[in-house]
Amino acid sequence: MQKTDLPFGSRHIALELPDEVDILSMGSPVALDNPAQKIQEALDSSIGGPGIDEIIRKKKEKIDDPTAVIVISDNTRPVPYTGDQGILWPLVDRLLKQGVMAGKITVLVATGMHRGLTEAEISKMIDPRVLDAGVQVKNHNCKNDKGLSYLGTTARGSEIYINRFYMESDIRILTGLVESHFMAGASGGRKSICPGLIGEESTFVFHGAPMMAHPNTTDLLLEGNPCHEESFEVASTAGTDYIVNVTLDHQFKVTGVFAGELKAAHEAAVEHLKSYTAVPYEGQYDIVLSHGGFVGINHYQVAKAGTVAARIIKPGGHVIMLANNTDTDPIGSLAYKTVLQILTLSGPEAVEKILLSPDWTFIPEQWQVQMWTRLFKKIPIDHFYYYSPQFGDAEYELTAGSRLSELTGIPESADPEALVPKLVAAGIDKLKELYTGSGEPRIAYLKDGPYGIPL
């Protein structure tokens, strides 16, 4: 047996897997030995443009009492915003030291189409020094038309609506995490604005069915990726003064800090990411075990792990997926559930046909269901086995796939630490029985879930 672990939200659960299981994992990037110092160095020696202090000084030469906005990600991303690795307080501190008043600094949560963060979630995620200094925190609201500015259309016809508060701020700074992204190639950079700060209507082309169906709308690919190109065009139209992006390792330790001009700093981060995120493999597998990672706070987010599994599963194979869906709704929004029901009841071909129809009325978050179809075009829906401790009968019935506990015969309990290893071991054994008489099945464990990309 092989000893390994399964990331389950923010914790790791010990596993033992049969020796024949191929454990596919990313390389191990080196964590920065002094991240606080490296952050300060990055703010001084920036990529593709001047450091943050010079940018602030030039703004103050033109505007006596400037306002500043720092855009942050929501809690679906493990961006370090507190502690020694935190990238938020160093930016606030630089603004304050350059004479920008605390009352003129706002932290804006780029929620995109997600719900706004609660006060408790904000307090948990943000460095207390930021709040103690008197800096206000706001959530973006994509449905608030009065809070949006219209900037015209993109070359592909997207209506560009951007958070008005962001557009009216004098100093505009983006922050975020650069990791593989199953639509845009990589997160970070321009995604802080698009989709982070766009209006709901702006998603109609950006996340529309034709773009999601494009083969280049995939992980670790920027060139020729229409989703990336659209996002960058929107962000460039809106404009930004400075970005600070980081890369992380398996333990969420900072491995790189990339600060400076939007395009140059983001591309440098992506190149660093590629050096260890790609996971080599040979041939496809009959059985694939994976998990939702930190991002998998709900079923909507676990689609990212599903598309990664689709890369290596044989047609007709079986996938086991585990996730700690801790969000207030473990599945996702009503819009997501609406389209998900079509997938559950009618299958992937019907979903894509409906979404691509000119008669279909665009529904926000339909794109995530469309990404699930990448997996279910390769395997039958009932060959997908799911476990989440937050799921009950109603949740399992609504989502596409089968209940892992029904496959294994092991009843679910309130203790995931003890239950998950049993479910995994029994699930693999039960699926191996299906291949009796036809040779040993090839089995893989995607140890990094949605983050490592098999290439």
Side-chain angles (χ1 to χ4, degrees):
M1 299 293 282
Q2 306 176 79
K3 293 184 181 297
T4 184
D5 62 80
L6 185 140
F8 202 67
S10 59
R11 49 187 170 157
H12 291 249
I13 296 176
L15 289 183
E16 286 192 354
L17 298 176
D19 292 333
E20 67 266 26
V21 175
D22 290 343
I23 300 177
L24 305 181
S25 63
M26 304 183 333
S28 299
V30 178
L32 301 182
D33 55 4
N34 190 339
Q37 178 182 329
K38 293 296 191 297
I39 291 167
Q40 295 296 339
E41 291 173 357
L43 295 180
D44 291 327
S45 302
S46 301
I47 301 169
I52 187 64
D53 289 345
E54 183 177 346
I55 285 175
I56 299 169
R57 284 196 296 269
K58 287 183 177 180
K59 288 286 184 178
K60 290 202 69 183
E61 289 174 1
K62 299 177 181 179
I63 305 167
D64 290 335
D65 191 17
T67 59
V69 61
I70 303 174
V71 179
I72 67 170
S73 300
D74 66 12
N75 61 348
T76 63
R77 306 291 186 272
V79 188
Y81 287 128
T82 189
D84 293 337
Q85 298 191 127
I87 59 175
L88 183 55
W89 172 249
L91 285 167
V92 172
D93 189 46
R94 292 290 183 113
L95 287 164
L96 293 173
K97 287 178 177 176
Q98 290 294 327
V100 179
M101 303 298 293
K104 294 297 184 72
I105 303 172
T106 299
V107 172
L108 181 61
V109 184
T111 55
M113 302 295 291
H114 305 166
R115 64 171 178 82
L117 298 186
T118 65
E119 289 187 11
E121 289 170 331
I122 289 171
S123 296
K124 181 179 180 181
M125 194 174 77
I126 288 181
D127 193 308
R129 291 174 292 183
V130 174
L131 301 175
D132 291 345
V135 173
Q136 62 178 328
V137 180
K138 292 185 176 182
N139 284 305
H140 169 63
N141 182 354
C142 69
K143 297 179 183 293
N144 179 17
D145 293 341
K146 293 181 179 179
L148 300 171
S149 294
Y150 179 65
L151 306 183
T153 61
T154 67
R156 288 185 173 87
S158 295
E159 298 283 331
I160 307 176
Y161 290 93
I162 301 294
N163 183 282
R164 183 179 298 278
F165 186 86
Y166 175 83
M167 293 305 304
E168 293 177 351
S169 296
D170 301 312
I171 302 170
R172 292 178 279 185
I173 301 169
L174 309 179
T175 69
L177 168 67
V178 177
E179 58 186 0
S180 179
H181 192 276
F182 69 147
M183 297 176 188
S187 63
R190 71 287 186 237
K191 284 189 87 265
S192 292
I193 294 176
C194 180
L197 298 180
I198 62 177
E200 185 176 57
E201 189 173 333
S202 297
T203 64
F204 291 3
V205 174
F206 175 62
H207 276 347
M211 189 174 291
M212 295 300 99
H214 196 287
N216 287 352
T217 301
T218 190
D219 298 277
L220 294 184
L221 180 64
L222 296 186
E223 187 175 356
N225 183 328
C227 189
H228 160 69
E229 292 169 353
E230 188 78 353
S231 178
F232 183 75
E233 183 179 352
V234 171
S236 298
T237 301
T240 191
D241 295 299
Y242 197 77
I243 76 165
V244 181
N245 280 182
V246 297
T247 52
L248 303 177
D249 67 8
H250 304 75
Q251 284 76 45
F252 306 122
K253 294 181 179 178
V254 174
T255 62
V257 184
F258 305 87
E261 189 269 333
L262 172 63
K263 186 174 186 291
H266 181 249
E267 288 182 351
V270 173
E271 285 305 307
H272 178 67
L273 176 74
K274 287 181 179 178
S275 69
Y276 62 87
T277 304
V279 178
Y281 77 102
E282 294 183 7
Q284 295 189 316
Y285 291 86
D286 301 286
I287 302 169
V288 173
L289 168 68
S290 189
H291 59 85
F294 178 91
V295 73
I297 63 171
N298 52 32
H299 188 270
Y300 171 93
Q301 292 289 351
V302 179
K304 297 173 181 178
T307 62
V308 173
R311 286 173 170 257
I312 65 169
I313 191 68
K314 286 182 180 179
H318 298 79
V319 172
I320 295 174
M321 185 73 68
L322 303 98
N324 194 23
N325 300 142
T326 57
D327 200 14
T328 52
D329 190 317
I331 296 178
S333 71
L334 178 60
Y336 174 67
K337 293 175 184 175
T338 299
V339 186
L340 187 63
Q341 271 285 273
I342 302 174
L343 173 63
T344 302
L345 296 173
S346 303
E349 289 79 12
V351 167
E352 192 143 272
K353 183 177 180 180
I354 290 170
L355 297 184
L356 288 168
S357 169
D359 298 325
W360 171 256
T361 300
F362 182 91
I363 295 179
E365 301 193 348
Q366 66 178 42
W367 54 81
Q368 210 81 341
V369 179
Q370 190 174 0
M371 300 309 281
W372 273 114
T373 67
R374 295 190 178 185
L375 176 61
F376 294 125
K377 285 179 180 178
K378 294 192 71 175
I379 67 172
I381 287 178
D382 61 359
H383 284 203
F384 178 73
Y385 299 92
Y386 196 74
Y387 165 72
S388 166
Q390 292 81 19
F391 269 37
D393 293 342
E395 286 77 17
Y396 283 116
E397 185 176 346
L398 179 63
T399 53
S402 302
R403 194 169 185 161
L404 182 56
S405 60
E406 291 180 356
L407 171 70
T408 63
I410 299 173
E412 295 179 13
S413 67
D415 183 9
E417 297 277 352
L419 179 62
V420 165
K422 295 177 183 177
L423 286 175
V424 169
I428 291 175
D429 286 343
K430 288 289 186 180
L431 292 179
K432 285 172 63 177
E433 292 175 5
L434 300 178
Y435 295 87
T436 301
S438 59
E440 285 293 318
R442 295 194 73 216
I443 309 172
Y445 170 40
L446 289 167
K447 187 174 181 179
D448 303 296
Y451 306 118
I453 308 303
L455 295 174

